[in-house]
Amino acid sequence: MIDDFKHTSLIKGYPISFDKYVAAKGISTMSIILVFILEIFLCSLPLIYFRGLGDPNYPVAVFDGNYEIYSITKYIGISVLYMIFIAIFVILLSIILNVLLKNMYLTLFVEMFLFALPLLFPRLVSLIPFNPFNYINFTDLLDGKSLELAHPVGLNSTHGLIYIGISIVILIVIANVFLSTGKLKRV
């Protein structure tokens, strides 16, 4: 988004406001991510039904407060739901950080640091279990890896979806407040 405004001759003639431009950029990014998720799902689904290549009822052990057994199709459904929630969360966070920091690389490093924060400081996972970044690595979450930490904490996927969903709502409110007050401006 920042690179687009460095070349203002490309967008100067567009009769759209900045908030509509940001919304269109976010929607187009989310649609690309949804196409990739759909492609992964559609390309892997036929492998389940070819003879000898998979069983849709094969059991997968998942930690969701207690260890439970899910079928592969239920596990794929939960994974797709998590990917969509994480994609929306990351896109909203990127939009806000990209406009506030005005540097694409700084935004990338801040997001990478926030993602790596639970890995770098595992004690924070037990101190702040409602941090949405604890739930971004959903494969480790579903495997129960948080129980293997020095200070074990039982993170589960339901709480992860709730905390990421609440964070999405908060980020939408913040973006709307910024856009409505005019604090987000062209760089």
Side-chain angles (χ1 to χ4, degrees):
M1 192 167 60
I2 298 301
D3 289 338
D4 293 347
F5 289 116
K6 287 182 182 174
H7 305 287
T8 55
S9 62
L10 296 174
I11 61 170
K12 203 171 255 188
Y14 290 162
I16 60 171
S17 62
F18 181 65
D19 56 342
K20 289 181 182 176
Y21 173 77
V22 170
K25 194 80 164 180
I27 289 170
S28 65
T29 304
M30 186 60 199
S31 62
I32 290 170
I33 290 172
L34 286 176
V35 166
F36 282 138
I37 292 172
L38 183 66
E39 180 182 356
I40 290 170
F41 184 68
L42 290 177
C43 288
S44 64
L45 191 60
L47 293 176
I48 291 174
Y49 293 105
F50 288 139
R51 183 181 169 132
L53 292 179
D55 179 11
N57 295 319
Y58 189 80
V60 178
V62 173
F63 179 77
D64 195 20
N66 296 323
Y67 278 101
E68 299 177 15
I69 302 296
Y70 289 173
S71 66
I72 286 182
T73 52
K74 185 174 180 180
Y75 186 83
I76 290 172
I78 290 173
S79 298
V80 168
L81 183 64
Y82 253 99
M83 284 188 250
I84 291 171
F85 268 62
I86 291 170
I88 294 170
F89 175 72
V90 170
I91 288 170
L92 288 170
L93 186 64
S94 295
I95 288 171
I96 291 170
L97 287 177
N98 208 357
V99 173
L100 291 177
L101 299 176
K102 296 179 173 69
N103 186 332
M104 179 180 68
Y105 298 109
L106 187 58
T107 299
L108 181 66
F109 287 124
V110 167
E111 284 186 342
M112 289 298 289
F113 176 73
L114 290 173
F115 174 75
L117 197 62
L119 300 173
L120 296 173
F121 305 105
R123 177 76 173 145
L124 288 177
V125 175
S126 61
L127 291 176
I128 311 171
F130 52 85
N131 180 6
F133 293 100
N134 295 341
Y135 300 93
I136 296 292
N137 191 352
F138 68 91
T139 55
D140 284 350
L141 177 70
L142 292 174
D143 287 341
K145 300 279 181 159
S146 62
L147 296 174
E148 299 173 359
L149 297 174
H151 300 279
V153 59
L155 303 178
N156 65 36
S157 60
T158 307
H159 290 143
L161 286 174
I162 291 170
Y163 293 142
I164 292 174
I166 290 170
S167 299
I168 288 170
V169 170
I170 290 170
L171 290 175
I172 288 172
V173 168
I174 290 171
N176 281 336
V177 167
F178 280 170
L179 290 171
S180 65
T181 60
K183 293 193 177 188
L184 294 180
K185 295 187 176 157
R186 294 182 184 193
V187 178

